[in-house]
């Protein structure tokens, strides 16, 4: 190992150490808050003579499969807590009781689930299940406000449950720390009254739809990306299911996730709030007579909200129609041709000998080998950070802007051209485009793993986003 | 004006990311031929339907990657919902809906993020 790479390693370890120390400080702080809150909650139960034992309602997760206990009346502390809803005309004690005796499942504790689960827990839903397999990452926190700095690395389902407990100890939270899939979804869905789709991928959306139809549960579905959001209730009151609207899944190349497309944090927050609202309306029967609609939200449009009338349930739907052909859950990853997470997979479109590693590119820089570095990320990403003297032409624009590459080569037509992007996926088709247009007689290669790997293995000071 | 020159004023809207295929335009006011096929003789032509509008839009307005817009059977690809004057196109006859002057047609790509 050279002294230089040792230096890099030391620097990275020091950064990690500082981050861990900060996490420890934040956790200590949170621990002290949680202890105070739990003591307060115990007192609350004790003073009200509430017969509900705290062990089934505390931060320890209880099982969804213990029967959900419905009650005949609210306790005094509950009445004090929900007073502003109790005096609300058209809501009142009956609706509050309906909420108390309702169980809801929030699938996904991400951007949508964060606001949705917090408001449902606060509103007085009796039992709230939270499904999530993922852990809290710093890049989640701009939108997933149910988690916090100290909980990096913690299970999202647990973190969400903890936040709801801190907000409202009357809500019984059930943690489902798992990937929802065909083998476990039906049993979990059947254990709740209302299902909330706050997921981030196509496969889980079809899975939840089918499980909800089979279990005869209304499904409140929300989605968000960039500055847009969508909201629909499926399988409810004569309305369509997800498959009535979208019988076949979209081609996987047309599906963009938040990590690639970006999302303004408040946008999923708004849609998650709307999902909570719709779930409350279902639990209390407020929207039973409403025709099926889809609500479209567009943050930068002059009319931010738009509600459109949807078709009814389709009699020929293979899922919810009169003669359904799907009678049990199928393989959704296969059906959709995409994975049940929103992680971007590594692509392998060109052979390895047409690619170079970050390490080799570093050597090449060190030896001052003349070359052109082409960065094919979108301009907004290039503006965040870039390698010195790289030329930015987004992949989409590349076929029409080859002249810019030629201009930069300035007659040196044997110069090697290296292509880089965020993760080493878009750089591969870019290599093909350059080769097909004979842009240089020198080599054309892309950098495996892109700038993210550059930051991980070569330069810890290079930002990741 | 002969029948073949007649056009309909159609407001096309794109959302949920569809606009990225149309040079980031969320709204396009288009003059769409009132009858198709464009190379057909007067008696062979029929009043413009959404089916015609989809292929006309693809060849006249689409800026990139037609496979992200067009699907099988001359329809839009799966995952796109079409609205006719604010309602699900299924309520209006889907592909066979006959366009009228000043119709508003919206193409929405469903979102999956969260
Ligand atoms: Zn259906």
């Amino acid at each position: 190992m050279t002294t230089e790479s040792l230096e890099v390693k030391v620097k990275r370890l020091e950064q990690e150490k500082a981050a861990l120390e900060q996490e420890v400080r934040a956790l200590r702080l949170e621990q002290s808050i949680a202890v105070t809150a739990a003591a307060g909650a115990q007192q609350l139960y004790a003073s009200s003579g509430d017969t509900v034992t705290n062990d089934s309602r505390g931060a320890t997760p209880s099982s969804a499969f213990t029967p959900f206990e419905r009650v005949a009346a609210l306790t005094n502390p509950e009445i004090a807590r929900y007073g502003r809803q109790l005096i609300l005309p058209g809501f009142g004690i009956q609706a509050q009781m309906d909420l108390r005796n309702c169980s809801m499942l929030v699938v996904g504790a991400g951007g949508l689930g964060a606001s949705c689960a917090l408001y449902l827990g606060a509103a007085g839903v009796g039992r709230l299940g939270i499904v999530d397999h993922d852990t809290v990452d710093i890049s989640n926190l701009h939108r997933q406000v149910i988690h916090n700095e100290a909980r990096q690395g913690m299970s999202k389902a647990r973190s969400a449950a903890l936040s709801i407990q801190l907000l409202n100890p009357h809500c019984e939270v059930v943690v489902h720390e798992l990937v929802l899939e065909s083998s476990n979804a039906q049993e979990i869905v059947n254990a709740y009254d209302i299902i909330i789709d706050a997921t981030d991928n196509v496969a889980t959306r079809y899975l939840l739809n089918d499980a909800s139809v089979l279990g005869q549960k209304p499904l409140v579905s929300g989605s968000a990306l960039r500055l847009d959001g969508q909201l629909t209730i499926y399988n409810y009151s004569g309305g369509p299911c997800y498959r009535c609207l979208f019988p076949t899944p979209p081609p996987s190349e047309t599906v963009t996730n938040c990590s690639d497309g970006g999302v303004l944090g408040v946008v999923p927050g708004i849609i998650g709030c709307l999902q909570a609202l719709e779930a409350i309306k279902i639990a209390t029967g407020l929207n039973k007579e409403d025709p099926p609609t889809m609500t479209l939200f567009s943050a930068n449009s002059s009319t931010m909200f738009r509600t459109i009338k949807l078709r009814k349930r389709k009699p020929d739907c293979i899922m919810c129609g009169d003669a359904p052909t799907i009678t049990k859950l199928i393989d959704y990853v296969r059906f959709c041709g995409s994975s049940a997470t929103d992680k971007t997979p590594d692509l392998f479109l060109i052979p390895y000998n047409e690619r170079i590693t970050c390490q080799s590119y570093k050597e090449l820089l060190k030896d001052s080998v003349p070359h052109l570095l082409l960065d094919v990320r979108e301009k907004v990403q290039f503006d965040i950070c870039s390698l010195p003297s790289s030329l930015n032409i987004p992949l989409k624009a590349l076929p029409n802007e080859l002249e810019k590459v030629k201009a930069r080569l300035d007659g040196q037509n044997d110069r090697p051209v290296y292509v880089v992007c965020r993760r080493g996926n878009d750089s591969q088709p870019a290599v093909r485009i350059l080769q097909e247009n004979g842009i240089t007689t020198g080599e054309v290669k892309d950098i495996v793993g892109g700038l993210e790997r550059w930051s991980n293995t070569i330069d810890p000071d290079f930002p990741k986003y | 004006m002969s029948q073949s020159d007649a056009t309909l004023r159609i407001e096309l809207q794109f959302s949920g990311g569809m606009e990225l295929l149309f040079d980031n335009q969320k709204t396009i006011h288009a003059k769409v031929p009132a009858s198709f096929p464009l190379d057909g003789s007067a008696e062979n032509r029929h009043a413009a339907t959404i089916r015609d509008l989809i292929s006309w839009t693809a060849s006249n307005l689409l800026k990139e990657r037609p496979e992200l817009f067009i699907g099988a059977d001359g329809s839009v690809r799966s995952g796109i919902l079409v609205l006719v004057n604010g309602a699900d196109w299924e309520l209006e006859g889907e592909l066979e809906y006959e366009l009228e002057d000043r119709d508003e047609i919206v193409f929405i790509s469903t979102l999956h993020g969260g």
Side-chain angles (χ1 to χ4, degrees):
Chain A
M1 208 174 242
T2 66
T3 34
E4 193 187 351
S5 62
L6 270 175
E7 193 52 45
V8 167
K9 197 172 175 193
V10 165
K11 205 160 178 185
R12 190 168 56 243
L13 285 172
E14 272 172 353
Q15 283 180 355
E16 283 171 12
K17 182 178 155 219
L20 280 172
E21 277 169 356
Q22 182 170 1
E23 208 177 322
V24 167
R25 278 195 301 275
L27 273 170
R28 287 239 162 85
L29 183 65
E30 180 161 65
Q31 191 186 26
S32 66
I33 296 169
V35 166
T36 324
Q42 299 264 16
Q43 260 174 11
L44 209 60
Y45 284 120
S47 63
S48 70
D50 197 327
T51 53
V52 178
T53 53
N54 205 39
D55 59 5
S56 72
R57 300 194 142 206
T60 352
S62 57
S63 160
F65 310 116
T66 58
F68 175 46
E69 232 178 281
R70 290 170 216 268
V71 297
L74 297 180
T75 61
N76 283 351
E78 284 174 318
I79 289 172
R81 174 176 290 261
Y82 306 123
R84 301 298 183 278
Q85 286 175 180
L86 294 172
I87 60 168
L88 182 66
F91 199 84
I93 184 77
Q94 188 49 56
Q96 194 65 53
M97 282 297 300
D98 288 342
L99 277 187
R100 169 60 187 84
N101 285 328
C102 185
S103 62
M104 300 185 187
L105 181 70
V106 179
V107 184
L112 299 164
S115 59
C116 185
L118 274 178
Y119 272 101
L120 288 176
V125 172
R127 176 184 273 187
L128 201 55
I130 311 279
V131 180
D132 207 305
H133 70 278
D134 207 0
T135 54
V136 178
D137 180 83
I138 195 84
S139 69
N140 302 143
L141 297 179
H142 78 113
R143 65 187 190 283
Q144 302 179 13
V145 296
I146 200 167
H147 313 301
N148 63 44
E149 177 92 20
R151 299 192 194 147
Q152 285 177 71
M154 188 196 237
S155 138
K156 283 190 186 177
R158 279 179 188 282
S159 163
L162 182 59
S163 294
I164 297 162
Q165 288 296 322
L166 288 171
L167 182 57
N168 183 1
H170 296 276
C171 179
E172 179 193 355
V173 189
V174 183
V175 173
H176 300 279
E177 215 181 314
L178 44 82
V179 177
L180 203 69
E181 52 196 15
S182 306
S183 60
N184 58 23
Q186 198 62 60
E187 192 185 9
I188 296 175
V189 162
N190 288 350
Y192 293 88
D193 300 320
I194 298 170
I195 312 303
I196 292 144
D197 182 344
T199 61
D200 56 14
N201 66 85
V202 187
T204 311
R205 288 182 186 275
Y206 276 96
L207 165 68
L208 265 184
N209 177 70
D210 293 2
S212 298
V213 172
L214 293 171
Q216 299 183 298
K217 313 285 181 181
L219 175 65
V220 183
S221 172
S223 57
L225 184 70
R226 300 191 185 97
L227 295 166
D228 290 350
Q230 296 168 353
L231 170 81
T232 323
I233 305 175
Y234 293 111
N235 199 39
Y236 180 62
S237 190
C241 82
Y242 192 59
R243 284 188 192 254
C244 290
L245 241 56
F246 306 108
T248 40
S252 54
E253 68 271 23
T254 67
V255 177
T256 310
N257 60 30
C258 291
S259 132
D260 288 344
V263 62
L264 189 68
V266 66
V267 170
I270 288 164
I271 302 298
C273 284
L274 291 177
Q275 288 181 278
L277 177 63
E278 294 295 34
I280 290 170
K281 281 159 71 182
I282 294 171
T284 57
L286 282 173
N287 58 356
K288 211 174 253 163
E289 307 302 325
D290 293 353
T293 57
M294 179 185 280
T295 300
L296 307 171
F297 174 76
S298 197
N300 65 348
S301 161
S302 53
T303 48
M304 283 197 282
F305 287 97
R306 181 159 187 195
T307 298
I308 58 162
K309 217 177 137 199
L310 283 186
R311 65 194 75 174
K312 293 195 164 53
R313 179 183 75 92
K314 289 188 90 169
D316 61 349
C317 174
I318 56 168
M319 194 66 225
C320 75
D322 297 335
T325 55
I326 300 180
T327 51
K328 59 177 184 16
L329 299 180
I330 60 166
D331 182 342
Y332 294 89
V333 171
R334 199 159 169 199
F335 173 62
C336 298
S338 58
S339 82
T341 73
D342 75 335
K343 305 282 182 271
T344 311
D346 288 334
L347 299 179
F348 299 95
L349 304 173
I350 59 177
Y352 210 78
N353 60 15
E354 294 176 24
R355 317 190 68 189
I356 64 169
T357 61
C358 288
Q359 188 60 40
S360 316
Y361 184 71
K362 193 190 106 177
E363 301 294 328
L364 206 135
L365 276 185
K366 205 174 74 185
D367 300 342
S368 309
V369 176
H371 70 281
L372 169 61
L373 180 65
L374 178 67
D375 186 326
V376 294
R377 293 173 299 155
E378 290 294 317
K379 184 177 180 298
V380 282
Q381 297 188 31
F382 186 79
D383 289 345
I384 304 169
C385 53
S386 62
L387 288 174
S389 70
S390 51
L391 171 67
N392 179 224
I393 305 176
L395 176 63
K396 261 174 26 175
L398 186 59
N400 295 322
E401 297 188 8
L402 290 165
E403 286 309 316
K404 284 192 188 168
V405 184
K406 286 187 189 140
R408 184 67 85 92
L409 286 170
D410 195 21
Q412 325 234 238
N413 294 331
D414 57 351
R415 283 259 157 108
V417 177
Y418 300 104
V419 187
V420 72
C421 65
R422 185 178 179 190
R423 299 194 177 101
N425 287 344
D426 279 359
S427 52
Q428 300 176 57
V431 165
R432 280 282 176 267
I433 293 170
L434 295 176
Q435 287 169 338
E436 280 159 13
N437 288 279
I439 209 78
T440 176
T441 55
E443 64 177 15
V444 181
K445 290 183 174 181
D446 82 314
I447 300 178
V448 178
L451 295 168
E452 215 166 84
R453 195 164 303 171
W454 181 263
S455 173
N456 287 340
T457 60
I458 307 294
D459 179 7
D461 282 339
F462 194 86
K464 283 192 288 188
Y465 51 91
Chain B
M1 192 153 78
S2 76
Q3 194 205 348
S4 55
D5 297 331
T7 56
L8 302 170
R9 284 161 293 182
I10 306 290
E11 180 174 336
L12 296 165
Q13 293 184 14
F14 306 99
S15 86
M18 286 312 311
E19 65 275 16
L20 299 176
L21 301 179
F22 294 88
D23 227 6
N24 249 326
Q25 301 174 89
K26 291 204 139 194
T27 305
I28 298 179
H29 295 276
K31 284 200 164 68
V32 180
S35 62
F36 286 85
L38 295 176
D39 54 0
S41 58
E43 60 272 23
N44 286 334
R45 295 170 72 124
H46 59 264
T49 62
I50 290 217
R51 184 192 297 280
D52 299 316
L53 177 70
I54 290 169
S55 62
W56 182 87
T57 301
S59 30
N60 291 279
L61 302 174
L62 194 64
K63 300 292 183 202
E64 53 181 291
R65 295 181 288 177
E67 71 279 8
L68 301 190
F69 182 64
I70 302 258
D73 312 326
S75 190
V76 286
R77 68 148 168 91
S78 49
I80 296 179
L81 188 63
V82 184
L83 308 182
V84 176
N85 300 319
D88 183 352
W89 68 333
E90 214 261 350
L91 301 167
E92 308 288 341
E94 282 200 345
L95 287 167
E96 309 315 324
Y97 170 80
E98 282 186 13
L99 297 174
E100 288 177 22
D101 196 37
R102 295 184 184 279
D103 271 349
E104 179 208 80
I105 311 289
V106 185
F107 296 95
I108 305 169
S109 178
T110 48
L111 305 175
H112 306 94

